[in-house]
Amino acid sequence: MAAQATFKSIKALVPLLDRVLVQRFKPDTKTASGIFLPTTATSSPLPEATVIATGPGAPNRQGNVVPTAVKAGDRVLLPGWGGNMIKVGEEEYYLFKDSEILAKIQE
């Protein structure tokens, strides 16, 4: 179940600790030749996302803050399912822990 946002812009949301706010890429609903794909073919979420914002990091056992491994604007590879969904208007965003992100995509 998605958390219904009470704010108007996603920029008002600042992740805490080692949380990372991402927006998943939307699957194509139409092919290049114009054929519409059925919803069953596009129902599973894509594993790629763009990082919108990150928290400052989480403290380690010694009390030192370990910063997140990604920053805003990075493209990342996510697990197939998981994260906490936040809906702002019609847009869906997800909060993941930094350790749940599988990889950073560098191109």
Side-chain angles (χ1 to χ4, degrees):
M1 181 172 173
Q4 195 61 21
T6 58
F7 43 88
K8 297 181 194 253
S9 170
I10 197 65
K11 296 294 181 188
L13 184 68
V14 179
L16 299 177
L17 298 173
D18 64 341
R19 301 293 194 267
V20 178
L21 180 69
V22 299
Q23 185 174 27
R24 288 185 184 266
F25 292 149
K26 294 184 173 91
D28 290 332
T29 57
K30 188 167 72 168
T31 64
S33 60
I35 298 171
F36 285 96
L37 299 171
T39 56
T40 55
T42 60
S43 63
S44 64
L46 290 177
E48 290 183 38
T50 301
V51 175
I52 304 298
T54 63
N60 60 12
R61 292 182 186 204
Q62 290 77 30
N64 300 325
V65 175
V66 178
T68 57
V70 295
K71 62 183 185 327
D74 284 348
R75 287 181 52 208
V76 294
L77 187 65
L78 300 173
W81 302 98
N84 295 319
M85 184 170 63
I86 300 167
K87 197 166 186 175
V88 179
E90 295 300 315
E91 297 292 324
E92 293 179 353
Y93 300 90
Y94 293 85
L95 271 174
F96 283 90
K97 287 183 101 174
D98 186 42
S99 60
E100 294 174 341
I101 294 175
L102 302 175
K104 183 164 60 168
I105 300 170
Q106 295 179 335
E107 291 189 65

